[in-house]
Structure formats: structure tokens, C-alpha cells
Amino acid sequence: MPDSGRPRAETATETLTGSQVVVRALIEQGVEVIFGYPGGAVLPLYDEIFKQNAIRHILVRHEQAAVHAAEGYARSTGKVGVVLVTSGPGATNTVTGLTDALMDSVPVVCLTGQVPTHMIGNDAFQEADTVGITRPCTKHNYLVKRPEDLAQVLHEAFHVARSGRPGPVVVDLPKNILMGQAPYRTAREARLSRYRPRRDPDPDRIEQALDLMVEAERPIFYVGGGLINSGPVACELLTEFVRATGFPITLTLMGLGAYPASDPQFLGMLGMHGTYEANMAMYDCDVMIAIGARFDDRVTGRLDGFSPRSRRIHVDIDPSSINKNVPVDVAIVADAERALAAFLEGWRRRAHRIDPRRIEGWWEQIRQWRAVDSLGFRQEGEVIKPQYAIRRLHEHVRDLDPIVTTDVGQHQMWAAQHFPIEKPRRWLTSGGLGTMGYGFPAAIGAQIAHPDRLVINITGDASWVMMMQEMSTAIQYRLPVKIFMLNNRWMGMVRQWQDLFHGSRRAESYMDALPDFVKLAEAFGAKGIRVEKASGLDAAIEEMLAHPGPVLTEVVIDPFENVYPMIPGGAAHNEIILSPADKRDEGPLSEEGMVLV
Amino acid sequence: MRNASQQERRHTICVLVDNEPGVLARVIGLFSGRGYNIESLTVSEVDHVNRLSRINIVTTGTEQVIEQIKALLARLVPVHRVQDLTVEGPAVERELALVKVLGDRERLVQALRIADFMHARLVDSTPGGLIFEMTGSSDDIDAFIALVEPVEVSRAGVVAIGRGGVVLEPPPDVVATQTKGEGR
């Protein structure tokens, strides 16, 4: 910050306005970009942002999109994403995004405006109980009531958002706090000691885990998004360790990219729409090494049928994720990077005593499962199969190291299955909350962070419409995001469940009136492409990639294609359905299963 | 944890927290949001210098649920320590109750007699009415209430403290930094 020659600019006694304190704290925290939307309560802060050039503000068209964009920024960079919105509706519109960030452990700091402290509780214009509303959907939140707390709160907010299991933090800023005088404190002067999650693994537990691993005959690594959050070094250590052991590995939806998808030891994604080999290996394994994954219901299927004969090792930085759904034998609370470094060191120490032949039979079994080719599909004629569309897209962009975002539904699963991700921070999807509308603003956030990279939003017609106003944002900032929309005119996943569980009664899952997406794109000032025939797909993809600005490519697909394989709700991994022909009257489609979401 | 008991058990959990706005809402919200029971809850500031409050919670759950509750409490930012006295004990548990009895002379004399042998203290007397103060275990208080058949009861909830060397202290660095700072 420019200073009028005062010698001790950074001391705790220096007094600024509240807004100046906020901007200075953001700069000190390394913030380069804010995603936001102005309004009455935050005008003093916008005024301060206007007067400086260190932080760039990206104006979205809806506050939910601001949070998703911050998530996309955070997950593609590893930095904290920052959001700024006004009070009342500005704050309430962030709730979906904040919940999404909480479920998927994304570091976000969301600054919300608030009415002046003396008006709080009076039902003032654009007043909402923001800390009350966001308490259950944030990792932590603050209402700043005293100017002297402001700098401390902001520094702690960033510390909490990025430490341990990352998550969203809300700081509610009453307008009089922003306008009044407030002292500045540097990050070094801030007190951060009350939140200090454990990062180093217990060495005894590491040894116990290694004891299980060296004896294992049917081992498997089950790895989740915690690895991506731990960072690229953790992912490198994982790859090194998995290769040193020779064990197979499966990744969760959130973990894709933590291990190279093209590696022969990778069995594909597991869970409800995971591969046959990954799910069968989870069912039959004798030692499971779970790292940065949380045994969620989309992964485990029916709990009493989950991996019945395995001993389990679980590494997680959040103690509350351990023994939550599935009891484990060796619990290790630690940062994945440090646990993996310890594993690798211990494994090498023991290497001379380990017999690699003991897992040969296991790999033979896995080869047989793989031969089933559970992701197989047939592209015949001119009707485009969604799987084919995703694979062709991948063929065209594989050497460009793209960042891929998705929305939620069938297209998301097809993308997870058919678009191999080789490196971390290239795959941004809404896993825990399943937020339709996540993908496009997340792509905008990722493109802001990586202006020269290819960013693709693989989406569906229903999802994209939920956040389509953000095309205006993409145009304003000249963000060349490529939207690859699989249009089947259905809420495809809803219809798939209606077909499976509700006698094919397709209640309200069909969109009777969709816009002309080409004209819609053009109305925003973007480029629109429609492709309806398989023979035109390659040309359409090339045209999309060649255009320098944002493009909406509408791929009209086979409207009745469903996602397979599938473990229906309430079924176990070994009850996986491979194709529609596999659907039985008896079997995994149970009454109990229907109750599950 | 592998062979965790499925049997539900009552646990007394003590939590040392920063006394700041919203901290109780965070603790209660954690229970209500995840469907856990709170049988009793008490809260009061116990360290005025460092602004620390102690929350005593009595809850019931399987071993797995109790472990989950403790882990969720511990990860809240204003929480410094979580102590499960049912596991980490032995502990002393006490509850205070105000018990009002109304009735004719005979009824009140009867209540006074019961109060006398159960060590409840008479704290207020009006024509036709008495109020007793009783301190003891929750079971003692239940027994007293069952005998005197009151018209109204006010209970403070369980307060608990570990015996001997079982001490719930804030981490030393928290006390150090908070005392050193300008205070809040």
C-alpha cells in the first residue's frame, strides 16, 4: 500500500478505515482475484477496491456463481478462493456454493456485507442473519462487531479456510465497521494458535499399516480428493508409493487426477458408476488403504455388504471422517503428504523382505474383471452416443493439458468414466453436494486463474441452464471457456432413476421447451455450435477449439442412453449392474434401495 | 473401533471453548444437524482472564456415534479441549434443582420430612407452598421429585468434573498467547 512516508507503516497501532483494513489484509494474504457482486452494504469496500490495482475483481451475474467461480479458482490453483457479496439476498444466494465448498473441502473465504451493527436484529432493509444461516454450511464464520477485531478475524479466516481439511469461511462485515476507523494487524501479529490441526502421522500407526500392507495378498488403494487438497507433492508421493508396492489403485470422483489415469495399475473410478474391476476389487480385497477419502454412500454402496473381508487403513486429516461410516483397523490422522512420505520410507526399509509374487494371483483376477470391459459402448449410425462424444473430445484435447469442469448428472458420470485425467487440479466437479450449475462458473474461475490454458465445461442441458447467465461474465472478461453440452432434453439421471425405481414413470424429468442454444450463445455475444450427427462431431470439436472466445457446443445425443455400470442404491459392490440387459426383477433393486437418494 | 459396541450408552462430555458469540449455537447445531441427542447441557464462563467457557453435555449413543460427536466437537474452531468423562473419568457429577410443592398443611409437612432425610434445603416458604433446593446426582434428584410430587421443577443440568489428576485444562499456548495479548 502506498504510504505518505510514515516510517512504521505495518504496526498494529496504525489506523485505517475498516475497508482499508480488509483490502490490506487480503493483499497480505496473497489474494489476487475476488469474485463478487456489489450492493448497498458493501459499497465502502467496493470503493476501496476501486482505488487500488493489486486485487482484480470479477463481476459475476449471480452470487452463487461467485462462490462456484471461487471454488474453480481454488481447486485449479490450490489457493484460497475469495468471494465478496452484499448483505441479505447477496449472502443468502451464496448458501448453495458454500455448502458445495464444505462438502468438497474447498478453501473459500466469503466476505458478506451486513447492515450497521446498531440495526442488526431490526429487520432492516437487506438484513439477513448471515452467520446464523451459514453456520451449518461453513467450516467457520464470523460477524465482526468491533473494528479492533477486523484484521485478526480476516487473517484467521484465511488460516482456517486453508488449514487442515479446507473449507469455506464467511466473514460478515457490518457497514459501520467498514466505514469506521480500525487498527491494522499484520498476519504475523494475528493469533492463529487456537486452530492447529494435526499434520504428522503417528509413527506406530504407520508401522502397523505397513505390517498389513507387506502381508497383503489382495490389496487395493482407495484414494480421494484429500490427495488433491494435500497438493501436487502428495500426488507425486502417492504415484511413487503405489508403483513401489505394485498394488492396484482406484480413485473416487473427487480424487480423479491424483494418480495418472493411463497408468496400468489404475483400475478406474469406483462407486455407483465406477468400473467393474474397481468395485469388484474393493469387494474382494484383503487390505484396503484409504487415503483422503471419506467412505461416502456413493462409494460404499450398502454398508453391510461393503468389502466384507478386508482389514482397513484410513489416512485422513479430519478425525471426524475416520470410523464415521465404515470402521477401520488402522486410523492415521495426518496430512496425506506426510503420511505417504512415511509409508514410502518404511516400505523401502522393508523392501528386501517383501515377496512381490504374493499379489500375482490378485492381478490375474483383476485382469479377468477388466476383460468384462464394463465401460464398453457401441457407436453405430449417426445418433451420437454420449460416451463417444466424450472420447472424441478427449482425443482432440489430450495433448493440451486441459482443465475440465462438469455439472451434475449423467454427463458428469460419462465424463468421469471416459475422459481420463492424468494430473491433479485438472478435474473440477461437484461431488458431495451434487450441485447442478457448478460447472460453468467453476470453469470461469479456473480460466481466470489460468488465462492461457484450455478450460472445458462438460455439461448437460438441464445443468447448464441453471447458471447460463454467467455467459455474460465470460464475455465481459474475454474468457475463452469451451462449453461441451450433451443435450438429451432430459434430466437424464433423474429419468434413469425413474426408469429403474419408479416403473419408468418419467415425472417432470423432460424439458419441453429448451432454448435454441446456438442463438442463445450468439445473443450473449459468444459462438454457438450444434452437432447432431456422429460424422460431424470431430469437425464441431475442431471448430470449438479453433475459436478464440467462449463457445457453447451443443451435442445432441441419444436421448435414452443411461449410465452403466451402476450399483443401485442399497446394493453392494458385487451386485453391480453392467447394462440394461442385466436388470433383474429380483436382486439389487430393493425397497430399501429406493429409500436412498 | 472394529468391534465397536452397538449398545447405546450415556456419556458426559466436557468441552472447553472460547467464550465468544455463537459458540453455543455451533455446539447445539452440531447435535441437531446430525440427529444426536442432548440429554442435558450446561454452560458458563470458567476462566474470566482467558475468556474460556466450559460446556458440559450429557448425551447418549453407540460407541461409534460418541466418537463421531467428540471428533466433530474437537474440529470446531473455538473448541480447545474435549473430555469424555465417561471414558476418561472417574468423575463427580452434580445437578441442582429447584422443586416447588403446593398443598395443604399435611402435604407440606410430608414434603418437609422427605426433604429432611434426602438432604434437600428449604429455600422459600409462602402460604400453601414450599420451594426446595436439591443438589446431588441426577438419580438423587429424580428420586426426590418422585417422592414429593411437585407442581413445578427447574433443573440446572449436569455439571461434572474429573476426579484427582483428571483435569480439563486449555492447551498451554492458548493461555500464554491470550493472557499476553491485550485481552478481550
Side-chain angles (χ1 to χ4, degrees):
Chain A
M1 287 236 106
D3 199 284
S4 52
R6 257 189 302 174
R8 291 165 65 231
E10 295 287 305
T11 60
T13 52
E14 189 185 3
T15 299
L16 310 163
T17 69
S19 295
Q20 287 170 333
V21 167
V22 174
V23 170
R24 186 177 283 199
L26 295 179
I27 292 171
E28 206 191 333
Q29 288 293 335
V31 176
E32 293 164 349
V33 183
I34 296 175
F35 300 91
Y37 202 104
V42 281
L43 285 180
L45 189 45
Y46 269 88
D47 204 30
E48 210 52 52
I49 288 170
F50 185 82
K51 293 178 195 160
Q52 55 81 51
N53 286 317
I55 298 175
R56 190 176 174 207
H57 181 275
I58 303 298
L59 177 67
V60 295
R61 300 301 188 263
H62 187 291
E63 289 89 348
Q64 183 185 335
V67 186
H68 293 324
E71 288 185 273
Y73 178 90
R75 292 183 54 196
S76 65
T77 60
K79 297 180 193 166
V80 178
V82 181
V83 176
L84 171 58
V85 298
T86 193
S87 62
T92 58
N93 272 346
T94 65
V95 166
T96 300
L98 293 169
T99 312
D100 191 273
L102 183 72
M103 293 283 274
D104 285 344
S105 312
V106 187
V108 169
V109 168
C110 176
L111 309 176
T112 55
Q114 183 55 278
V115 300
T117 46
H118 67 272
M119 291 177 80
I120 289 177
N122 283 4
D123 297 334
F125 177 65
Q126 294 198 328
E127 181 189 353
D129 176 8
T130 301
V131 284
I133 291 167
T134 61
R135 196 175 290 122
C137 65
T138 52
K139 185 175 173 185
H140 193 56
N141 64 12
Y142 306 84
L143 168 62
V144 182
K145 282 183 168 169
R146 305 189 316 170
E148 57 268 37
D149 294 338
L150 188 55
Q152 160 70 28
V153 163
L154 286 162
H155 292 308
E156 192 180 74
F158 277 85
H159 169 71
V160 169
R162 67 163 78 96
S163 307
R165 179 178 178 178
V169 176
V170 161
V171 182
D172 202 22
L173 300 166
K175 194 171 184 181
N176 59 323
I177 300 286
L178 291 175
M179 298 185 77
Q181 301 283 296
Y184 190 70
R185 269 188 182 202
T186 63
R188 283 184 54 194
E189 292 163 333
R191 181 173 63 85
L192 306 175
S193 59
R194 66 173 181 162
Y195 185 72
R196 217 179 287 150
R198 180 187 180 123
R199 299 182 65 193
D200 286 310
D202 177 343
D204 292 343
R205 300 279 178 93
I206 293 285
E207 291 305 312
Q208 287 172 30
L210 286 165
D211 287 345
L212 286 178
M213 286 187 236
V214 297
E215 296 294 327
E217 293 179 353
R218 301 187 308 279
I220 188 165
F221 283 97
Y222 150 49
V223 175
L227 256 288
I228 314 268
N229 275 335
S230 185
V233 175
C235 296
E236 279 166 32
L237 288 170
L238 171 74
T239 306
E240 212 176 318
F241 185 48
V242 171
R243 285 180 180 156
T245 59
F247 296 174
I249 174 171
T250 179
L251 296 172
T252 69
L253 179 69
M254 298 303 295
L256 295 177
Y259 188 86
S262 57
D263 188 278
Q265 280 168 257
F266 181 53
L267 305 189
M269 182 176 75
L270 83 164
M272 184 169 276
H273 294 294
T275 64
Y276 184 66
E277 52 270 34
N279 285 322
M280 292 303 285
M282 285 291 280
Y283 186 82
D284 269 350
C285 67
D286 66 350
V287 172
M288 177 188 299
I289 308 124
I291 310 177
R294 59 187 179 86
F295 293 87
D296 108 307
D297 56 273
R298 281 294 187 274
V299 156
T300 61
R302 180 160 47 86
L303 278 174
D304 61 11
F306 175 71
S307 195
R309 289 176 292 276
S310 61
R311 313 269 306 260
R312 299 168 202 136
I313 300 155
H314 190 184
V315 180
D316 205 290
I317 197 151
D318 176 9
S320 75
S321 284
I322 297 176
N323 288 321
K324 180 176 66 179
N325 299 330
V326 171
V328 299
D329 300 275
V330 184
I332 299 173
V333 176
D335 183 351
E337 180 186 323
R338 298 189 185 192
L340 281 161
F343 279 152
L344 203 52
E345 190 273 324
W347 184 269
R348 285 180 176 147
R349 201 164 7 89
R350 294 162 184 242
H352 62 285
R353 286 184 279 134
I354 300 166
D355 178 10
R357 284 169 305 179
R358 79 200 185 291
I359 57 168
E360 280 174 6
W362 180 229
W363 273 111
E364 181 48 40
Q365 172 66 68
I366 289 169
R367 268 189 286 277
Q368 288 174 25
W369 287 327
R370 264 185 177 158
V372 169
D373 187 21
S374 61
L375 298 182
F377 64 95
R378 257 191 235 158
Q379 173 63 48
E380 289 165 334
E382 284 287 28
V383 177
I384 301 171
K385 289 285 183 189
Q387 302 94 326
Y388 177 73
I390 303 270
R391 292 211 171 191
R392 289 315 303 162
L393 174 67
H394 176 251
E395 275 306 310
H396 283 273
V397 302
R398 59 187 308 164
D399 298 328
L400 302 172
D401 193 18
I403 296 169
V404 176
T405 77
T406 80
D407 284 278
V408 170
Q410 288 185 321
H411 74 271
Q412 178 189 30
M413 293 298 111
W414 285 317
Q417 291 173 337
H418 297 280
F419 198 111
I421 305 290
E422 297 293 321
K423 294 178 193 165
R425 295 180 180 164
R426 267 69 168 178
W427 170 254
L428 318 180
T429 193
S430 173
L433 193 63
T435 311
M436 291 170 71
Y438 166 87
F440 185 33
I444 286 174
Q447 189 81 75
I448 289 285
H450 308 276
D452 300 324
R453 293 268 294 278
L454 173 62
V455 180
I456 307 170
N457 169 215
I458 298 177
T459 187
D461 47 298
S463 282
W464 193 77
V465 165
M466 282 203 178
M467 278 284 137
M468 67 181 185
Q469 77 285 345
E470 296 307 316
M471 190 62 113
S472 186
T473 308
I475 295 291
Q476 178 170 341
Y477 297 97
R478 298 189 181 83
L479 304 173
V481 172
K482 309 303 181 206
I483 300 148
F484 194 73
M485 176 198 288
L486 303 180
N487 184 358
N488 58 6
R489 306 189 75 87
W490 290 89
M491 291 161 221
M493 194 58 92
V494 172
R495 191 214 50 219
Q496 177 163 347
W497 281 57
Q498 289 172 334
D499 286 0
L500 282 170
F501 295 110
H502 297 275
S504 297
R505 289 178 299 278
R506 295 161 176 173
E508 304 296 324
S509 53
Y510 183 69
M511 296 264 184
D512 217 7
L514 280 173
D516 178 329
F517 284 108
V518 173
K519 282 187 187 157
L520 181 68
E522 286 167 0
F524 278 109
K527 183 179 175 65
I529 301 170
R530 177 182 297 118
V531 54
E532 293 170 274
K533 291 181 176 168
S535 57
L537 194 57
D538 284 344
I541 294 169
E542 278 167 26
E543 190 185 351
M544 172 180 85
L545 295 173
H547 185 72
V551 183
L552 170 56
T553 303
E554 178 196 7
V555 183
V556 180
I557 58 163
D558 179 349
F560 292 105
E561 188 67 21
N562 279 344
V563 182
Y564 289 99
M566 178 177 187
I567 301 171
H573 282 163
N574 61 336
E575 296 171 313
I576 188 167
I577 297 176
L578 291 172
S579 72
D582 233 16
K583 192 176 144 188
R584 288 152 289 189
D585 295 333
E586 309 264 324
L589 303 184
S590 63
E591 283 285 323
E592 303 94 89
M594 272 181 68
V595 177
L596 303 173
V597 182
Chain B
M1 207 67 221
R2 199 54 195 276
N3 299 308
S5 162
Q6 285 308 299
Q7 214 179 342
E8 293 211 343
R9 196 175 162 201
R10 180 180 181 273
H11 282 248
T12 304
I13 297 169
C14 300
V15 193
L16 207 56
V17 302
D18 283 328
N19 182 13
E20 61 183 24
V23 65
L24 190 59
R26 283 180 214 288
V27 170
I28 294 170
L30 187 157
F31 279 78
S32 65
R34 298 186 184 245
Y36 303 138
N37 300 312
I38 298 181
E39 287 185 10
S40 159
L41 181 140
T42 64
V43 53
S44 187
E45 189 170 274
V46 291
D47 177 343
H48 301 309
V49 177
N50 295 300
R51 302 287 317 270
L52 298 175
S53 285
R54 179 180 178 120
I55 301 176
N56 302 290
I57 304 166
V58 179
T59 182
T60 306
T62 61
E63 199 181 328
Q64 197 175 355
V65 165
I66 297 293
E67 286 305 312
Q68 181 70 15
I69 287 172
K70 287 190 277 184
L72 290 168
L73 284 169
R75 76 176 191 177
L76 294 176
V77 172
V79 168
H80 293 296
R81 280 278 158 86
V82 178
Q83 184 187 42
D84 182 350
L85 285 176
T86 307
V87 175
E88 297 167 47
V92 173
E93 288 189 18
R94 279 291 180 274
E95 197 181 345
L96 183 142
L98 295 174
V99 178
K100 185 193 288 180
V101 180
L102 296 180
D104 57 18
R105 194 184 155 74
E106 192 186 342
R107 176 107 199 272
L108 297 183
V109 168
Q110 173 87 6
L112 278 166
R113 243 185 251 128
I114 296 166
D116 189 44
F117 80 78
M118 291 195 77
H119 306 293
R121 208 157 65 90
L122 182 67
V123 291
D124 187 58
S125 167
T126 49
L130 299 173
I131 297 175
F132 297 99
E133 174 201 305
M134 170 119 185
T135 312
S137 71
S138 300
D139 287 347
D140 290 342
I141 291 171
D142 286 343
F144 178 64
I145 289 168
L147 284 173
V148 297
E149 296 176 1
V151 294
E152 188 180 356
V153 176
S154 180
R155 295 174 75 149
V158 171
V159 290
I161 195 162
R163 291 180 61 194
V166 183
V167 179
L168 179 62
E169 282 177 313
D173 57 325
V174 168
V175 175
T177 53
Q178 298 199 353
T179 320
K180 219 167 40 189
E182 65 265 51
R184 311 218 287 155

